[in-house]
Amino acid sequence: IEAKIKCVVKVRDEINQLMYSKAKNFDTSKILSGKLSHPEKAASFYGALRRLEFPSTMYPHPTPPMNLSKFTYSIWHQQSSCEATEVLEPPFDEEGQLSLRTFLRIVDRGSKIHQEEKTEIDAFMLKFNRMLFDGVTVEHILILNRKNGSGVAEERPSKALMKLWHLPEDSWEDAELQFMSRMKSSNRRKMTSDFEQPFQTTGELSESFNINDIVCISKTMPENGEFAHSLGYSGEDNKKRQKKFVSFETKYGARVMFFARTGKDASLISCGLKLLVERVQINI
């Protein structure tokens, strides 16, 4: 179904001057083009619009259980999983150094002593998946294709929506992470609305990644600066953005790097993705 919609925008200078009184070089065209920051008096209005655009912002982001959160900053690998960066809380404090995989298997055994932990993890997984179903805003996506040693990096639009795609009747092994464009670009096919389609596939590289193909998840920015350098960041910028950095790699040689909106979001994404991928791959 196609529909042609027209609208007429009426300029009210007296209202604009009142709302944007603090703006320098005020001009109506800058409002329409988005070059002027939202006026403070309209914060509630823009907040309401954002909640309509991103349903995930309508409820608080989930908080990882204490023990699970201690796996956030270690690098997860498909073969070896990852270890906690702090001593786990009771009753796991006497278990020695546990990997996330071993920790989840112990919890999944269903022992009464671990029942509360299992309930918290299941509740967090449910809320995290719901958040990803709605979509999470990420920035400066860079996809590095290491297949055949090419090391070709392709930068995507500066903002995108990362979403989890999974149909109730399908196995979780078929679930996908999709990066959907928020911005139109002359270099990509024209979209009729924001978030309509995933990015175009380029060769062996796709912007839709199967959960079961992920082999590494990290919150550590590359030391050689390949990501920051490609975006023109250095020095103090790197330190600030390190907290927002998340990356994952697939078994097909693609490395996906991006910034979350905040450091808290990045930690949540890192922790939640490790739990999701680990559960899918070891079938818990």
Side-chain angles (χ1 to χ4, degrees):
I1 299 175
E2 294 185 2
K4 294 183 179 180
I5 300 175
K6 294 182 179 180
C7 65
V8 177
V9 178
K10 182 180 179 180
V11 178
R12 298 185 63 182
D13 291 326
E14 69 280 6
I15 299 296
N16 289 336
Q17 288 173 2
L18 176 65
M19 299 295 285
Y20 294 91
S21 58
K22 296 181 181 180
K24 296 180 180 180
N25 300 321
F26 168 77
D27 186 276
T28 304
S29 63
K30 291 183 179 180
I31 299 177
L32 296 175
S33 64
K35 293 181 180 179
L36 280 182
S37 300
H38 302 154
E40 295 179 3
K41 295 180 181 180
S44 298
F45 172 70
Y46 280 100
L49 289 180
R50 178 171 177 78
R51 286 191 290 275
L52 290 174
E53 184 179 11
F54 303 109
S56 64
T57 62
M58 297 181 69
Y59 48 84
H61 281 2
T63 300
M66 180 64 72
N67 278 329
L68 186 64
S69 69
K70 296 182 179 183
F71 294 92
T72 297
Y73 297 98
S74 53
I75 300 176
W76 180 88
H77 292 280
Q78 185 183 53
Q79 295 298 324
S80 57
S81 191
C82 62
E83 294 186 346
T85 53
E86 301 176 48
V87 177
L88 297 180
E89 301 295 319
F92 297 93
D93 53 334
E94 298 180 358
E95 296 282 353
Q97 192 72 23
L98 294 178
S99 69
L100 175 60
R101 188 166 302 161
T102 302
F103 168 72
L104 292 177
R105 281 175 171 161
I106 292 174
V107 170
D108 193 58
R109 288 173 188 166
S111 171
K112 288 185 178 180
I113 194 174
H114 301 134
Q115 188 57 50
E116 184 177 345
E117 192 87 32
K118 185 177 189 304
T119 300
E120 288 185 355
I121 291 175
D122 288 344
F124 169 73
M125 187 81 276
L126 184 65
K127 293 177 181 178
F128 179 76
N129 287 347
R130 183 177 68 176
M131 183 187 79
L132 284 188
F133 284 138
D134 289 337
V136 178
T137 302
V138 296
E139 301 178 343
H140 298 300
I141 303 94
L142 191 75
I143 301 179
L144 189 65
N145 186 3
R146 299 184 185 279
K147 191 170 184 180
N148 299 324
S150 63
V152 176
E154 297 188 12
E155 186 181 350
R156 298 310 194 243
S158 60
K159 288 185 183 291
L161 200 65
M162 182 175 72
K163 301 190 71 171
L164 179 63
W165 176 260
H166 175 254
L167 297 176
E169 63 270 21
D170 290 344
S171 164
W172 271 101
E173 292 184 355
D174 298 321
E176 295 181 344
L177 273 183
Q178 295 182 344
F179 290 84
M180 309 188 79
S181 175
R182 288 193 59 190
M183 302 179 68
K184 297 178 177 66
S185 170
S186 59
N187 295 325
R188 304 200 174 274
R189 62 177 168 156
K190 187 176 181 180
M191 299 181 182
T192 57
S193 63
D194 290 346
F195 309 127
E196 184 186 19
Q197 295 289 341
F199 299 126
Q200 288 280 63
T201 299
T202 307
E204 297 294 329
L205 208 56
S206 172
E207 285 72 21
S208 183
F209 301 91
N210 189 287
I211 291 292
N212 208 37
D213 292 338
I214 295 177
V215 296
C216 181
I217 302 171
S218 175
K219 250 191 74 37
T220 304
M221 193 179 293
E223 293 182 1
N224 61 8
E226 61 183 340
F227 184 52
H229 177 72
S230 67
L231 300 174
Y233 300 131
S234 61
E236 198 62 31
D237 284 337
N238 279 351
K239 294 180 181 179
K240 293 178 181 179
R241 290 184 173 271
Q242 170 65 66
K243 295 180 180 180
K244 302 180 182 181
F245 179 82
V246 182
S247 73
F248 65 85
E249 299 180 34
T250 74
K251 64 183 181 182
Y252 297 110
R255 184 176 189 183
V256 182
M257 300 179 279
F258 57 87
F259 291 125
R261 291 182 60 249
T262 65
K264 186 176 180 180
D265 280 1
S267 296
L268 174 59
I269 291 171
S270 172
C271 184
L273 276 183
K274 289 173 185 175
L275 176 61
L276 174 60
V277 174
E278 190 77 82
R279 277 187 152 190
V280 169
Q281 295 190 4
I282 65 175
N283 196 27
I284 287 183

